[in-house]
Amino acid sequence: MNAPAAIPVPIPLASLPRHKPGAVASVDWGKLSEPESRRLRELGLDEGVEVELLHRSGLLGGPFACRIGRMTVALRRHVVAAIHVSPGA
C-alpha cells in the first residue's frame, strides 16, 4: 500500500534554505503598499512562480537577494515576510 505523498507546508520566504528553489504559495498583498504590490506583479511574482533565496540580510535589516524566474532582485524585509513558499519546486 502506498502512503499518500506529503503536501509541503508553505513557509516564509525568509525561512527557505539558500539556493533551494521554492514555488510561491501565497502573497499577503494586504501587508504591502499598492506600489509595492504592483511592482512585484510587474516583476512576475505571483502564486506558482519559482523563487530562490540567494542572500539573507544582516542583523541591521538590509534587503534580501532573491531570484524570481531568471531575474535577481533585492527585496525589503517586510516584502519578504509577506511571501510564503512551498519548498522544493
Side-chain angles (χ1 to χ4, degrees):
M1 178 179 265
N2 293 336
I7 298 172
V9 175
I11 61 172
L13 176 56
S15 299
L16 188 68
R18 289 179 52 217
H19 304 289
K20 301 290 182 192
V24 176
S26 65
V27 180
D28 188 353
W29 299 110
K31 289 185 176 180
L32 304 173
S33 69
E34 182 61 34
E36 290 169 330
S37 297
R38 183 175 48 250
R39 185 67 179 143
L40 287 178
R41 287 187 173 109
E42 289 172 353
L43 292 172
L45 186 84
D46 213 345
E47 285 80 6
V49 172
E50 185 174 299
V51 295
E52 183 179 345
L53 182 63
L54 302 175
H55 180 74
R56 286 184 176 85
S57 62
L59 296 174
L60 299 177
F64 287 68
C66 301
R67 183 169 289 130
I68 302 171
R70 296 182 347 196
M71 293 179 295
T72 301
V73 297
L75 299 175
R76 294 179 176 147
R77 182 179 297 270
H78 76 277
V79 173
V80 170
I83 302 169
H84 285 77
V85 298
S86 295

